[in-house]
Amino acid sequence: MTTKHDLWINGEHTQPDSGKYFDVLNPLDDSLYCQAAESNDADINKAVEAAHRCFQTYSKTLAKDIEAMLCKAADLMERDRAEFTDILIDEIGSPINKANFEIAYAITHLRAAAGVARRVTGQTMPSDTPGRLSMSVRKPLGVVAAITPFNVPLIKAAKLVASPLATGNTVVLLSSEEAPTLSFRFAQLLHEAGFPAGSVNVVSGFGVDVGDTLNSHPLVKTVMFTGSSRVGKHIGEICGKQMKHAVLELGGKSPLVILADADLGLAVKTAIFGMFLYQGQACMASSRIIVEEGIYDQFIAAYKQAASQLSMGDLREMSTILGPIISQRQRDRVRRHIDNAVEKGATIETGGNWQGNKCEPTILTGITEEMDVCYEETFGPVTSVYSVKDYETALEMANDTPYGLSSAIITNDLNKALDFAENIDSGMVHINAPTLYDEPHVPFGGTGDSGFGREGIEVDVDALTEWKWITIQLPDASAGH
């Protein structure tokens, strides 16, 4: 019997206003995985109003109580690890290694966010007026709209829900239409952990239909979105017109630079992990690999061999690295990028073929600017490798992109590594490590078309609270003498 998900509003399973449900397919074979409620504007309004009502009381919750609930949520996820693993494998096609990584990250983030509740602090300041006490406090914003992607739905649910809750806000989560089960299950876990009805509400459906209604709702005070640059820019326009906050984590075309002095084994290992984890469906994937010519031939030979040996087997086998591409629309995009490159003269060094809905790890060379894959994000297991004459040319090529999310360099030259870190136009830089990396407390995000603002528990307090300045004029101490 097919699972059918209602909306989660005010702590209750709620049937959609329209009575409509849409199919969610298992990307491995496009079989029916579940059905999820298709929200309309009335559902969005109901969820936002529930969050707003809850905010009136939840915003006054003691830090110690929020802390305890987030810690309990982490413990519950430890308890239910197997269930979350199954959802990640069957709903979005995660190989078990990636599913395990995502669950471990989410648990860590919940525990890290618990500490945020005690860091919503203000300050006292000297005043220019005698006898005046001057201080500032932070106040939660209100209802936060959180919009999550399909590729790391648990990581992003933890990021975009836990920190708003930790800072006294309430949440309406619009799940990816390809990963609603995960979002509903996460919300119910938070409910079990003690978060009150209305503090977390989940709506499913299609962003093209209800996204604007959610983001422009007058009771929504900030939007936290992870997804494409095109949609992110549209959300930014809505928020800008309404003078509301936004944190936008968007796409990437992340460069991995490999210099001639690099350790070849490290370079290959880094390029494999950074590109092919979760079949390249990651905004931080190393989709541009720029190699200094002195090591280029050796690298290509070793990289091709390593990539061709990656397992595309059973998703529940620890050895499997690549799974299926999420949807037919995305498979068509991956095929278009490969075909377009080949038609215009690129060489497929390895891969390019399909096994059902799985695309083989694909390495392209001979990429030129008129090819779609040169500047567009593929979001699949397809990378381009370039040969350059020296470090300066590599840096110039690495910066030749409208994106600026993550970057990495493999070298034993400390001066060049630090020069790269200083001059690469990206929000994140990794030296002798993959482009693909994250931790709960870091300022995660990018520049240019890769987004606006940063995520992470160290910076979330700024993004999710508003300063309020308060002064108190004390009695004149000299008046009594």
Side-chain angles (χ1 to χ4, degrees), residues 84-102:
F84 279 97
T85 300
D86 285 340
I87 295 171
L88 287 165
I89 292 173
D90 296 329
E91 185 168 56
I92 65 166
S94 288
I96 192 167
N97 276 309
K98 183 263 188 183
N100 288 342
F101 166 78
E102 190 162 351

Side-chain angles (χ1 to χ4, degrees), residues 44 77 103-104 121 187 201 215 277 285 298 305 362 371 402:
I44 298 297
M77 191 171 291
I103 293 166
T121 57
N201 306 273
N215 297 324
L277 179 74
Q298 293 171 274
Q305 182 181 23
T362 302
M371 300 174 188

Side-chain angles (χ1 to χ4, degrees), residues 232-264:
K233 289 178 180 180
H234 176 67
I235 292 173
E237 288 181 13
I238 292 173
C239 293
K241 288 177 181 176
Q242 296 189 351
M243 298 295 287
K244 65 175 65 174
H245 299 242
V247 177
L248 308 172
E249 199 269 284
L250 311 177
K253 195 73 175 172
S254 299
L256 168 63
V257 171
I258 301 170
L259 299 188
D261 70 336
D263 178 282
L264 183 63

Side-chain angles (χ1 to χ4, degrees), residues 275-276 307 338 348 350-353 359-364 381-384:
M275 183 59 236
F276 297 121
I338 296 173
I348 298 178
T350 188
N353 301 309
C359 178
E360 293 177 352
T362 302
I363 300 171
L364 302 174
V382 180
T383 189
S384 306

